[in-house]
Amino acid sequence: MTASRTARERVRAELTREITDIARRQLATEGAGGLSLRAVAREMGMVSSAIYRYFPSRDDLLTALIIDGYNALGEAVERGEAACPREDHLGRWLAACHAVRDWALAHPHEYALLYGSPVPGYHAPQDTVPARARDVTVLGELIADAWRAGAVHLPERLPAPPPALASQAGAFRQLMPGVPDDVVWAAAAAWTTLYGWINFEVFGQFNNVIDDRRPAFDHAMRLTATAMGLTPS
């Protein structure tokens, strides 16, 4: 009985993986809005009613793809940042940034699902939150590490956050406990600048504008690091 259940679970896992692999290919040809369980079933040679035993709706399949995407991105960022010495906070930041960009360029359609236009009618459930937090958790940890080490030196003329933002930093501060508001907001600006740059690159806004994009990206991320107060170790 146990062996039979294990075999069924293995078959289910393999079919689930095949469904999501085909769905990712659909993202490249049809976009997230065109994702179709029936089309996936046809490609698999499966009757359309059978696929609903694995994913009851298109939104369930989208959620699985989103979680897979965030986890893959998060793993890439964690792996890239972990390769740097812990005391090299600037190096850790740059490694994390390049890991995000490299993953996005290698998986543009999955990146578009995560950071492109919202899919009409779809609302991401709370199930996506832990995977979504993996990359920003890396940022929070390295900023908190740098602050505790006395390695954060904000530029003298950096604008101070207005008092009205004091109550808005809570979510960010959870990622970097003990870090003051001015550093928290500098880090938030840096992270959104990172994704803004990558969105421009992935979605073609740099075409005929910047040709040698990797060094341009690296320089931009060093500028954001300076705004956060990270300096070479």
Side-chain angles (χ1 to χ4, degrees):
M1 182 69 70
T2 301
S4 177
R5 282 201 302 269
T6 300
R8 287 198 297 270
E9 291 168 357
R10 186 164 59 249
V11 169
R12 182 178 182 85
E14 290 173 354
L15 284 173
T16 300
R17 184 166 54 251
E18 185 177 355
I19 291 168
T20 54
D21 286 346
I22 292 172
R24 273 187 282 271
R25 293 200 295 271
Q26 270 197 23
L27 291 177
T29 57
E30 307 298 330
L35 190 64
S36 165
L37 283 170
R38 290 179 179 273
V40 172
R42 283 197 301 271
E43 186 168 339
M44 294 182 67
M46 176 188 290
V47 294
S48 58
S49 59
I51 200 169
Y52 292 100
R53 293 200 294 267
Y54 298 88
F55 294 98
S57 70
R58 181 210 65 163
D59 284 4
D60 291 300
L61 179 54
L62 272 173
T63 296
L65 294 175
I66 288 169
I67 290 173
D68 285 351
Y70 279 137
N71 276 325
L73 173 58
E75 182 179 349
V77 174
E78 291 163 357
R79 186 170 56 248
E81 187 268 349
C84 295
R86 298 298 82 192
E87 69 277 8
D88 183 5
H89 305 104
L90 174 60
R92 290 165 63 185
W93 164 249
L94 294 174
C97 292
H98 280 283
V100 176
R101 177 179 180 269
D102 290 346
W103 187 88
L105 295 179
H107 307 87
H109 305 293
E110 292 173 67
Y111 180 85
L113 177 63
L114 305 181
Y115 291 104
S117 299
V119 180
Y122 174 78
H123 301 283
Q126 285 294 109
D127 294 354
T128 61
V129 172
R132 171 64 189 91
R134 288 179 68 171
D135 56 350
V136 292
T137 297
V138 172
L139 168 66
E141 289 176 351
L142 77 87
I143 294 298
D145 287 350
W147 177 256
R148 286 191 295 267
V152 175
H153 307 285
L154 292 176
E156 292 183 3
R157 295 186 180 182
L158 193 72
L165 289 182
S167 63
Q168 304 297 312
F172 292 114
R173 192 175 289 106
Q174 291 178 16
L175 297 168
M176 49 190 94
V179 174
D181 281 5
D182 50 357
V183 179
V184 167
W185 287 110
W191 202 245
T192 52
T193 298
L194 163 66
Y195 277 97
W197 181 287
I198 292 173
N199 275 24
F200 264 49
E201 188 165 1
V202 171
F203 301 132
Q205 300 302 316
F206 285 147
N207 292 349
N208 302 315
V209 177
I210 301 175
D211 295 324
D212 199 358
R213 294 171 189 164
R214 186 176 182 83
F217 173 80
D218 187 83
H219 179 64
M221 294 306 103
R222 288 176 184 274
L223 292 175
T224 62
T226 299
M228 285 191 292
L230 298 182
T231 55
S233 58

